[in-house]
Amino acid sequence: LVHQNKFLVGGQLKPWTGKTTEVYSTISSTEDYKPTLLGSIPYMSEPEADEALEAAAKAFDKGKGLWPTMKVADRVACMEKFVKQMETKREEVVKLLMWEIGKNLPDSEKEFDRTVEYIYDTIEDYKQLDRDSANFKKRDGIYAHIRRGPLGIVLCLGPYNYPLNETFALLIPALIMGNTAIFKPAKHGVLLITPLLEAFRNSFPKGVVNIVYGRGREVAAPIMKSGRVDVLALIGNSKSAVALQDQHPHKNRLRLVLGLEAKNPAIVLRDADLDLAINECIAGTLSFNGQRCTALKLVYVHEDIIEEFNKRFSKRVDELKFGNPWEDGAKLTPLPEPEKPNYIQELIEDAKAHGATVVNGKGGKITDNYIFPAVLYPVNKEMRVFNEEQFGPVIPIVPFKNIDEPLDDIANSNYGQQVSLFGADIRTLAPLIDTLVNLVCRVNLNSSCQRGPDVYPFTGRKDSAVGTLSVHDALRSFSIRTFVASKDN
Ligand code: G3H
């Protein structure tokens, strides 16, 4: 059991003696799927939110504080100290990732290692940013030393599907650029921050990192309402992002860095290598049970090959092993949100009522913490599963005859993150790619959608994102260009 009975504010790990919230896992060892108690977290409200805000504001001191004015090498040293201490906590964090969000062992290890790599890459890129010779310019007798300065106080909110990696994908670039931060761990994947608290406390000056726990409306809302937050950094859903922005009294002063919903489609053309397309679509739709913003959430297949595709794809889905995250070969694992299986079931029923069938034998079989992936065919626009971001194990297959059908759907979608395109003939692919890059931000050729490698830009059009993440771009998203000018006299 992990009882999170301290909280980090103003450089201190203060004992928490107030109300607590119990944290449960949907992973169960009992026949009736009774949830497992994992520990507890502080139940915070406005006074603690104010305290965290005050600490972050004091550390930033309107730009005059120790942290925002610190030299590059010193800030790098703090970040290096943090990541080195973090590395010693791998085993504890990985174990909590498995229990809290049901991510399988290889993916939990990958989440931890990828985050460590992200921090080292960020440090290197930050050093490079400072050394860049393009920072020095001269024009019309005026020299300019261009720099990047911090924005102020950042409120960071990460999602449950990458509670370590994506929270840190916001927090780390925000910090290294000289901002101070308040972060609230995700609802599921909250205890895994506990092993890292001392590393935060030991590595950064006081007040630079402050952590709050509890419900959004009780802790995040008062922080936003104060009007003192300069950047809202959130990966999650647009409903929360909009609600939080609306609470800020000076919205035009608020910078946004948002990673939101997506409905990434795969388009499988008639001449696609079917084995390859099926392999990639399995990974794209079902890794971490489809709970990724980059997951493939609609699969368009040309009608000439759809029968063969459905047969082979469904067989492969039914062969996937369901098990607890630490079990060898478990690709499908319990879902951390207890209400998710019922939601997926609703989507399946709605699709069936509108004429789709579940084409794989095991599809839709439900236990208290899991619903086996259902392959739905034929899916059309009348169905909820076509329009909603399912974020779970259900795969809508949409037949098409003419490429304009998926292209029009993508152009009309509210989202615009990525597309996977499967085909062989470059004469067909090239013009299609040229169109698709105007509709989304990344076209994956003969491969599934994904965020990585993290040195590449990660963003989306329309309702999918505001600002760009990943190492290089995140440093820019969390800073502003400033410069020192001097005359040639
Ligand atoms: O949930 C959205 C994540 O950014 C997906 O990242 O493609 O590396 O799984 P990933």
Side-chain angles (χ1 to χ4, degrees), residues 314-315 317-318 358-365 372-375:
S314 300
K315 184 169 176 284
V317 171
D318 281 354
V358 176
V359 295
N360 58 325
K362 292 193 191 170
K365 299 242 156 52
F372 200 87
V375 182

Side-chain angles (χ1 to χ4, degrees), residues 75-87 111-127 164-165 167-173 175-176 196 199-200 204 454-455 470-471 475:
R75 240 189 258 151
V76 162
C78 293
M79 196 56 88
E80 279 174 346
K81 186 170 178 189
F82 173 74
V83 69
K84 289 208 167 79
Q85 293 189 18
M86 174 178 167
E87 282 177 280
E111 176 161 352
F112 187 91
D113 297 341
R114 176 182 183 177
T115 309
V116 167
E117 190 183 15
Y118 187 94
I119 301 176
Y120 280 116
D121 283 344
T122 299
I123 291 172
E124 281 318 306
D125 225 82
Y126 175 61
K127 289 197 267 187
L164 177 75
N165 178 271
T167 308
F168 280 30
L170 302 169
L171 181 69
I172 297 300
L175 291 179
I176 208 160
L196 306 175
F200 277 122
F204 298 104
D454 290 331
V455 288
S470 292
V471 177
L475 294 181

Side-chain angles (χ1 to χ4, degrees), residues 113-184:
D113 297 341
R114 176 182 183 177
T115 309
V116 167
E117 190 183 15
Y118 187 94
I119 301 176
Y120 280 116
D121 283 344
T122 299
I123 291 172
E124 281 318 306
D125 225 82
Y126 175 61
K127 289 197 267 187
Q128 190 53 42
L129 188 70
D130 185 54
R131 287 195 292 256
D132 196 342
S133 58
N135 292 343
F136 297 92
K137 294 189 186 306
K138 184 189 171 192
R139 173 111 189 206
D140 299 339
I142 297 188
Y143 291 99
H145 176 201
I146 296 173
R147 305 175 175 200
R148 284 217 154 246
L151 295 162
I153 300 172
V154 182
L155 176 63
C156 282
L157 304 161
Y160 82 81
N161 64 334
Y162 276 98
L164 177 75
N165 178 271
E166 289 203 326
T167 308
F168 280 30
L170 302 169
L171 181 69
I172 297 300
L175 291 179
I176 208 160
M177 292 312 299
N179 303 284
T180 61
I182 305 161
F183 88 85
K184 186 168 104 61

Side-chain angles (χ1 to χ4, degrees), residues 114 159 161-162 166 235 291-295 391 417 449-452 454 458:
R114 176 182 183 177
N161 64 334
Y162 276 98
E166 289 203 326
I235 297 181
Q291 302 166 115
R292 299 159 58 229
C293 64
T294 49
F391 219 80
Q417 193 197 64
C449 297
Q450 59 168 339
R451 176 168 40 121
D454 290 331
F458 177 57

Side-chain angles (χ1 to χ4, degrees), residues 268 272-282 309 313 422 446:
V268 186
D273 174 334
L274 223 48
D275 283 334
L276 183 141
I278 287 169
N279 269 341
E280 291 292 316
C281 286
I282 292 280
F309 182 93
F313 183 75
F422 296 94
N446 291 315

Side-chain angles (χ1 to χ4, degrees), residues 214-228:
R215 294 146 77 114
R217 62 173 166 273
E218 285 172 66
V219 286
I223 293 174
M224 291 304 287
K225 281 183 189 158
S226 74
R228 297 166 80 186

